Amino acid sequence: MEISSKLEQVDWQAVTEAMHQKGFAVIPDLLTNEQTEMLKAMYDDPAIYRKTVVMERHRFGLGEYKYFNYPLPEIIREIRTRIYPKLAPIANAWFKALHMETSFPQQHSELLEQCAQSGQQKATVLILKYGKGGFNTLHQDLYGECYFPIQLVLFLSDPETDFTGGEFVLTQQIPRAQSKAIVLKPHKGDALIFTTHFKPEKGTKGYYKSVMKHGVSEVHTGERYTLGIIFHDAVS
């Protein structure tokens, strides 16, 4: 089945409700095994990347990731372009609840035009690889003043088969308390949609901004590959 047809069959209402309630949602089996292997095989093709980051050099963790250059591989471009319109209404509802003035356009091309006006024209889609001992510290993928508050990650390796450890970790700031940790273990081929920066939470005096970060726990054995799709572009 084509990725476009698969995306149309996703229960986007359930995704929307999960995003509002938890700040994340899992789409099971978005990619076939052949598609995950194809994407993973791209890791060793230097011609399609604009930048490689060795995490320990920047104290980001232990592992490596590579930013794709434009034009993106077709399957990545299609996922990025087709999923964005499903997420823009969620982002707009969040910003409206928090009385923030930003309104996100309905089409991804329009978001990229806004990024370009802010000097952000570099692709932010990246593929990440962790070996034994690898991890990623808690962070947010903002890249500039123009940012879209939701992103997704495609899981290209299977936990307990290809690697152990390496759980996806989200933390949510709780007012006047310690942060809450959320640990997720999606399977190979799954897509995880999650907040890049924050989500609105309803308090006694209306909605407030609950800051969230994400990272990866230590990989104990094997190799863990993922592909991150961020919808805004970067300055560098």
Side-chain angles (χ1 to χ4, degrees), residues 77-90:
R77 187 203 65 78
E78 189 159 15
I79 291 172
R80 196 183 191 211
T81 303
R82 288 183 179 274
I83 286 187
Y84 172 84
K86 309 294 186 184
L87 304 181
I90 301 171

Side-chain angles (χ1 to χ4, degrees), residues 6-26:
K6 215 160 190 178
L7 287 170
E8 287 305 313
Q9 292 183 2
V10 171
D11 185 346
W12 289 107
Q13 183 58 41
V15 169
T16 298
E17 290 174 5
M19 290 299 296
H20 287 325
Q21 292 175 10
K22 301 177 180 178
F24 67 90
V26 176

Side-chain angles (χ1 to χ4, degrees), residues 169-190:
V169 180
L170 281 166
T171 61
Q172 182 175 2
Q173 192 177 64
I174 307 296
R176 298 178 297 281
Q178 302 293 334
S179 295
K180 178 173 75 173
I182 302 157
V183 179
L184 303 170
K185 293 179 68 175
H187 294 285
K188 185 179 183 180
D190 292 351

Side-chain angles (χ1 to χ4, degrees), residues 15-70:
V15 169
T16 298
E17 290 174 5
M19 290 299 296
H20 287 325
Q21 292 175 10
K22 301 177 180 178
F24 67 90
V26 176
I27 301 175
D29 300 321
L30 179 64
L31 299 178
T32 64
N33 187 62
E34 290 73 19
Q35 288 167 330
T36 58
E37 291 300 315
M38 177 191 68
L39 291 168
K40 205 159 60 178
M42 291 180 183
Y43 193 85
D44 295 319
D45 181 1
I48 58 175
Y49 300 105
R50 66 176 181 85
K51 187 177 182 180
T52 297
V53 176
V54 178
M55 293 185 193
E56 53 265 45
R57 292 179 186 167
H58 305 275
R59 300 174 67 83
F60 294 161
L62 181 61
E64 184 180 82
Y65 54 86
K66 300 178 180 182
Y67 287 105
F68 284 85
N69 209 348
Y70 283 126

